[in-house]
Amino acid sequence: MKALLLESVKTMPLYKDVEIPRPGEGEVLVKIAAAALNHRDLYIAQGLYPGIVTPVILGSDGAGTVVETGASVSKDLQGMDVLINPNINWGDNPKVQDKKYNILGMPTNGTLAAFVCVKADRLAPKPAHLTFAQAAALPLAGLTAYRALFTKADLKKGEKLLISGIGGGVALIAFQMALALGAEVWVTSGADDKIELAQQLGAKGGTNYKSENWHKALEIKAGGGFDVILDSAGGDGFQYFLDLANPAARIVFYGGTRGSFKVNPQKMFWKQLSMYGSTMGNDSDFNNMLALINQHQIVPFVRDLRPLSEGAAAFADMDEGKQFGKLVLIP
Amino acid sequence: MKALLLESVKTMPLYKDVEIPRPGEGEVLVKIAAAALNHRDLYIAQGLYPGIVTPVILGSDGAGTVVETGASVSKDLQGMDVLINPNINWGDNPKVQDKKYNILGMPTNGTLAAFVCVKADRLAPKPAHLTFAQAAALPLAGLTAYRALFTKADLKKGEKLLISGIGGGVALIAFQMALALGAEVWVTSGADDKIELAQQLGAKGGTNYKSENWHKALEIKAGGGFDVILDSAGGDGFQYFLDLANPAARIVFYGGTRGSFKVNPQKMFWKQLSMYGSTMGNDSDFNNMLALINQHQIVPFVRDLRPLSEGAAAFADMDEGKQFGKLVLIP
């Protein structure tokens, strides 16, 4: 079969012929109809995580059809259209992943291939209102966004939410879930066109974080502060979130691309603020996320569909940070 | 009556004759048997808070006996030995205090006097196992510690807790409540004798934060990290708490005497850490704190008892930061 194979770190994955895997005990073979890229795939290729194992087929997000079942797996799954839960071995503690936790697509072979083998308990029915490409855009981003916004920050209907860096996969699906829930959503971006697009899609407003005193401008526009703030950048700009936070606000982040940030403790304790670091999510987060997507018929944004053979070019695109929606590859 | 009166900011309160107040509608007059000092009193005298109103009788902590009841108050309260809840107007949201919230002892006249008037609903029965002086040591520190440790950080029996700066009022009562609950408590201090004393009192161990690589030494001694970390300093040392935090740990602070601190977002999100700013507590925190104190017959540490007339000297003592236990004044 064809697959995007990462042969060693600090190289780009290559479109190669590899053997079709066979489902082992408790596993199924899924014929991939669509697979989405995540920054995680890029960071692995760039060697930015510890303990990277190569060669490996990258890819955590995939949707497709079960074509073969291994031992101890019901044959009824055969032919089922599925979305794959990328969590492997989260463990028993809902609050934090086990040391054995890993994510589909390193060290185990992932979805950027014609076929993938996964445990049968990793399958969820593909949401009926979504195409395979739209469904493939969900797993990793949806899981991360759900845990951050709901499990951690406990976002409620009617609350004011600020999402920084709108356009990324997690930020966008968080945006859609929050709107569906009835939150009032505001955004920041370094690109005015992304802010405009977000406003067309339901954002109440937004500000370009590259402009001077963006936080003051945003506070004026929004008529006050925010109950929940979702970030993945950190860095110097983060400190303004403490000013933009309403009393009892929750600030949650799932990344820190701009590095460390400074916290004024007085600002946090007088306002009784909470701050959460969040990454991925457990199976319960995954199932709750899918339930919300189905209930509100949310359709994730797919920015571009390409053949798997053009995977390397898609990786380069993602690296430029111009995305608004997910990049999906079709084997 | 005699009272410690702060006539203007950036002066020390003076032992003066003032009129005995009369209880208004819904109020009682309490004859103070003992009143404890808090850093809050010192910070007000030093002019470190915004909106300080003078002249004012300072003091948030007091225990005594009801000697007069105002209109609409049951006469049955007369003669009751009470502890005063220093919360005024917390408001309806348990998560954060209202804008009208204030604390007994500025702007309203406080407990550093022979008598004080408070609303009847601010009274709790003095815990039977405590002297007036011990009871007076509880309110503000116990309330702050309870909210931080339990309402915010949700400390559980058997968890490992690190308390920084042991010796201060909040740190010590937090220490006692955590031990009573069955937590394993570790401490830091800038003074070796305070660490030794804490160990004699039940701490599993501790480290002097002035020593080089204290955080590494502590991690080795403690055989790993901590589930809950309680701090009131912030500053440069705070960053090591992220290293000392176990997966899913909660870091909570109720002060920031050493100023801003730096956060590495990766350390927070990979370990799914939570961080809470906390100050004071609501009436439910106050009642829960008292219930815990009564249930476990906890006796707060009183370092020194002095006559109210020596209040100014006690203020100066507190400013030196050498305390281990509360300073209590007797009118």
Side-chain angles (χ1 to χ4, degrees):
Chain A
M1 69 172 183
K2 293 292 186 183
L4 276 190
L5 189 71
L6 182 70
E7 294 188 314
S8 59
V9 292
K10 299 187 185 174
T11 65
M12 274 290 134
L14 299 173
Y15 189 62
K16 290 260 181 171
D17 276 302
V18 299
E19 262 190 66
I20 296 184
R22 300 301 310 273
E25 166 95 19
E27 292 186 336
V28 296
L29 182 70
V30 177
K31 183 175 192 299
I32 295 291
L37 288 189
N38 287 288
H39 273 96
R40 173 183 151 83
D41 305 309
L42 183 67
Y43 295 154
I44 292 172
Q46 291 173 337
L48 298 181
Y49 291 139
I52 296 171
V53 176
T54 55
V56 68
I57 299 169
L58 296 175
S60 307
D61 287 348
T65 306
V66 177
V67 291
E68 193 180 340
T69 54
S72 319
V73 175
S74 164
K75 300 278 179 214
D76 294 351
L77 292 181
Q78 192 96 24
M80 185 181 170
D81 290 342
V82 296
L83 185 62
I84 301 169
N85 174 348
N87 275 329
I88 299 173
N89 296 329
W90 177 279
D92 293 333
N93 185 352
K95 300 216 165 145
V96 66
Q97 65 278 15
D98 197 89
K99 278 184 188 163
K100 287 180 295 181
Y101 178 68
N102 64 83
I103 298 165
L104 182 64
M106 211 294 288
T108 56
N109 283 327
T111 56
L112 296 172
F115 298 90
V116 67
C117 272
V118 297
K119 292 277 181 197
D121 69 0
R122 300 297 86 194
L123 301 179
K126 177 181 80 65
H129 68 289
L130 299 182
T131 64
F132 280 108
Q134 290 162 344
L138 274 180
L140 209 61
L143 182 65
T144 305
Y146 189 93
R147 183 173 181 82
L149 268 195
F150 301 108
T151 308
K152 295 282 179 92
D154 194 24
L155 177 71
K156 302 280 189 209
K157 183 176 175 167
E159 285 193 315
K160 279 170 79 181
L161 167 68
L162 176 63
I163 300 179
S164 77
I166 198 72
V170 179
L172 270 180
I173 193 73
F175 172 73
Q176 292 182 284
M177 292 194 291
L179 283 179
L181 187 88
E184 179 182 318
V185 189
W186 294 74
V187 299
T188 72
S189 171
D192 289 340
D193 55 342
K194 290 188 185 182
I195 296 170
E196 274 169 40
L197 192 46
Q199 285 181 263
Q200 286 166 24
L201 294 167
K204 197 90 175 178
T207 295
N208 190 320
Y209 58 67
K210 290 181 179 162
S211 63
E212 220 178 319
N213 285 320
W214 63 268
H215 58 293
K216 291 185 183 168
L218 181 60
E219 196 174 2
I220 291 166
K221 274 190 207 176
F226 301 91
D227 304 306
V228 173
I229 297 174
L230 179 69
D231 182 61
S232 67
D236 288 344
F238 192 97
Q239 62 186 305
Y240 302 118
F241 294 149
L242 300 184
D243 299 308
L244 289 168
N246 279 341
R250 294 84 74 198
I251 302 173
V252 56
F253 52 88
Y254 55 92
T257 46
R258 283 161 197 254
S260 290
F261 56 83
K262 221 170 69 175
V263 171
N264 175 324
Q266 277 77 10
K267 289 184 183 174
M268 259 190 90
F269 69 71
W270 286 126
K271 289 201 276 190
Q272 308 266 6
L273 303 184
S274 307
M275 198 181 282
Y276 301 101
S278 189
T279 192
M280 306 299 300
N282 59 25
D283 289 350
S284 157
D285 294 323
F286 187 81
N287 295 332
N288 290 338
M289 177 274 288
L290 273 187
L292 190 72
I293 295 290
N294 282 318
Q295 185 194 339
H296 295 283
Q297 303 274 296
I298 294 170
V299 179
F301 295 112
V302 173
R303 170 196 159 200
D304 205 3
L305 274 177
R306 296 191 189 205
L308 186 62
S309 56
E310 292 178 16
F315 267 73
D317 261 27
M318 191 166 50
D319 200 17
E320 288 175 24
K322 290 188 177 158
Q323 80 275 13
F324 196 99
K326 301 288 283 185
L327 295 168
V328 175
L329 299 175
I330 307 296
Chain B
M1 67 172 185
K2 294 289 185 183
L4 276 189
L5 189 73
L6 182 71
E7 295 189 312
S8 59
V9 292
K10 299 187 186 173
T11 66
M12 275 290 134
L14 300 172
Y15 190 63
K16 290 260 182 170
D17 277 303
V18 300
E19 263 190 67
I20 297 184
R22 300 301 311 275
E25 165 97 18
E27 291 186 335
V28 296
L29 182 70
V30 176
K31 182 175 191 300
I32 295 291
L37 288 188
N38 287 288
H39 273 97
R40 172 183 151 85
D41 305 310
L42 184 66
Y43 295 153
I44 291 173
Q46 292 173 337
L48 300 181
Y49 291 140
I52 297 171
V53 176
T54 54
V56 69
I57 299 169
L58 296 175
S60 308
D61 287 347
T65 305
V66 176
V67 292
E68 193 181 341
T69 53
S72 318
V73 175
S74 163
K75 299 278 179 214
D76 294 350
L77 292 182
Q78 193 98 20
M80 183 181 171
D81 290 341
V82 296
L83 186 62
I84 301 168
N85 174 349
N87 275 331
I88 299 172
N89 296 328
W90 177 280
D92 294 332
N93 185 353
K95 299 215 167 148
V96 66
Q97 65 277 16
D98 197 90
K99 277 183 189 165
K100 287 179 295 181
Y101 178 69
N102 63 84
I103 298 165
L104 181 64
M106 211 291 289
T108 56
N109 283 328
T111 58
L112 296 172
F115 297 90
V116 67
C117 273
V118 297
K119 291 279 181 196
D121 68 1
R122 300 297 87 194
L123 301 179
K126 178 180 79 65
H129 69 291
L130 299 182
T131 64
F132 279 110
Q134 290 162 344
L138 274 179
L140 208 59
L143 182 66
T144 305
Y146 188 92
R147 183 174 181 83
L149 269 195
F150 301 109
T151 308
K152 294 281 178 91
D154 194 25
L155 178 70
K156 302 282 190 209
K157 183 175 175 167
E159 286 194 314
K160 282 171 76 181
L161 166 68
L162 176 63
I163 301 181
S164 76
I166 197 70
V170 179
L172 270 180
I173 193 70
F175 173 73
Q176 292 181 284
M177 292 195 289
L179 283 179
L181 187 88
E184 178 182 319
V185 188
W186 295 74
V187 300
T188 71
S189 171
D192 290 339
D193 55 342
K194 290 188 185 183
I195 295 171
E196 274 167 41
L197 193 46
Q199 284 182 262
Q200 287 164 25
L201 295 166
K204 196 91 176 179
T207 295
N208 190 320
Y209 57 68
K210 288 179 180 163
S211 61
E212 219 178 318
N213 285 321
W214 63 269
H215 59 293
K216 290 185 183 167
L218 181 59
E219 196 174 1
I220 291 165
K221 275 190 208 177
F226 301 91
D227 303 306
V228 173
I229 298 174
L230 179 69
D231 182 62
S232 67
D236 288 344
F238 191 96
Q239 61 186 306
Y240 302 117
F241 294 149
L242 301 184
D243 299 309
L244 288 168
N246 278 339
R250 293 83 74 199
I251 302 173
V252 56
F253 52 88
Y254 55 91
T257 47
R258 284 162 197 253
S260 290
F261 56 83
K262 223 172 68 175
V263 170
N264 174 323
Q266 276 77 9
K267 289 183 183 175
M268 260 192 87
F269 68 72
W270 286 126
K271 291 202 273 189
Q272 308 266 4
L273 303 184
S274 307
M275 197 180 282
Y276 302 100
S278 189
T279 192
M280 304 299 301
N282 58 27
D283 288 350
S284 157
D285 294 322
F286 187 81
N287 295 333
N288 290 337
M289 178 273 288
L290 273 187
L292 189 71
I293 295 291
N294 282 317
Q295 185 194 341
H296 296 281
Q297 302 274 297
I298 294 171
V299 179
F301 297 111
V302 173
R303 170 195 159 200
D304 206 3
L305 274 177
R306 298 189 187 207
L308 186 63
S309 56
E310 292 179 15
F315 268 73
D317 262 27
M318 189 165 54
D319 200 16
E320 288 175 25
K322 291 188 179 157
Q323 78 276 13
F324 195 100
K326 300 288 284 185
L327 296 169
V328 175
L329 299 174
I330 309 293

